[in-house]
Amino acid sequence: MPARVGVVTFPGSLDDADARRAVRLADAEPVRLWHADDDLRGVDAVVLPGGFSYGDYLRCGAIARYAPVMTRLIDGASRGLPVLGICNGFQVLCEAHLLPGALVRNDHQHFVCRDQRLRIESTDTAWTSAYEPGQEIVVPLKNGEGGFVADAATLDRLEGERLVVARYLEVNPNGSARDIAGVRNEAGNVVGLMPHPEHAVEELTGPSTDGLPFFTSVLRSLVGAA
């Protein structure tokens, strides 16, 4: 029986179908979850996709964080449920305090869309174990509020405890502190990433297939935990 990976749709989500497709290409069963759901339908892991969740005009993810499904997700994450937040999903995870820091408007004040080179800094997470330490990958990035910020003490803790998951290479596209593109929690089951690995899972449609290991990693972690 394949692993079941839930993908949450908020009003305004636009990458949920792509995330479900990436889950399917990784040989897992994608499960549609709605923001108003009061349960997670027994899924083994959850992806919060990119898009423009309602409430973005207040602050990205600030209202989406209070969606009914988030109550179940926060409880599940505290018990080890693997959760990946991509772009707007990353913002929602920070607003829910499942990850430290915040995402703010790009320092150049413009929306950016590019194929972005990254270095995977942490491979001992539920979502990055299929990568080699230090592996460099290329995945699409598209955001207007993707600048990762935190106070100096938090940034030092992220670096010291090896909680930075991915770092921008060649170009820092949004002014993120210390070139940080993604972070994780201490347990490694919750990961947030600003670029979009779900758009780099097939040669036909992406600049690479470098994003697929994010989705195969979680299957490996679920098998290991069984």
Side-chain angles (χ1 to χ4, degrees):
M1 180 181 235
R4 303 175 75 243
V5 179
V7 178
V8 178
T9 298
F10 296 94
S13 293
L14 58 78
D15 293 316
D16 45 347
D18 302 84
R20 291 196 302 271
R21 190 154 177 263
V23 168
R24 189 177 301 109
L25 289 170
D27 292 329
E29 177 188 349
V31 177
R32 293 171 183 252
L33 297 175
W34 180 236
H35 74 111
D37 285 349
D38 193 36
D39 69 76
L40 297 178
R41 304 186 184 180
V43 297
D44 302 299
V46 175
V47 175
L48 298 183
F52 300 91
S53 300
Y54 65 96
D56 275 6
Y57 286 105
L58 173 64
R59 191 177 64 240
C60 293
I63 293 178
R65 171 261 179 271
Y66 292 100
V69 74
M70 288 301 298
T71 300
R72 302 301 179 191
L73 186 146
I74 291 169
D75 180 60
S78 70
R79 291 184 283 103
L81 179 74
V83 179
L84 173 65
I86 302 170
C87 194
N88 200 185
F90 185 9
Q91 295 161 340
V92 174
L93 291 178
C94 290
E95 290 290 337
H97 303 298
L98 288 174
L99 292 173
L103 285 306
V104 299
R105 184 167 293 280
N106 298 343
D107 60 349
H108 45 73
Q109 303 297 308
H110 297 289
F111 189 90
V112 61
C113 182
R114 55 175 286 126
D115 294 335
Q116 178 67 47
R117 181 171 292 280
L118 306 173
R119 182 172 59 240
I120 301 299
E121 301 279 22
S122 175
T123 57
D124 54 347
T125 83
W127 298 94
T128 55
S129 63
Y131 290 102
E132 296 295 327
Q135 185 173 341
E136 296 184 7
I137 67 173
V138 176
V139 299
L141 173 143
K142 51 190 177 79
N143 63 70
E145 299 187 36
F148 181 79
V149 296
D151 59 41
T154 299
L155 291 172
D156 289 343
R157 183 175 67 84
L158 288 171
E159 300 280 9
E161 297 180 10
R162 301 178 59 81
L163 301 180
V164 176
V165 167
R167 208 181 299 270
Y168 297 118
L169 295 179
E170 298 175 353
V171 173
N172 183 331
N174 44 36
S176 287
R178 303 188 188 181
D179 299 331
I180 291 173
V183 299
R184 49 169 284 191
N185 67 349
E186 289 81 356
N189 62 304
V190 180
V191 169
L193 186 73
M194 185 48 57
H196 288 260
E198 79 279 17
H199 293 321
V201 293
E202 285 186 301
E203 292 182 358
L204 179 65
T205 58
S208 71
T209 59
D210 292 347
L212 190 58
F214 273 92
F215 301 93
T216 57
S217 291
V218 73
L219 304 187
R220 177 189 295 187
S221 74
L222 291 171
V223 170

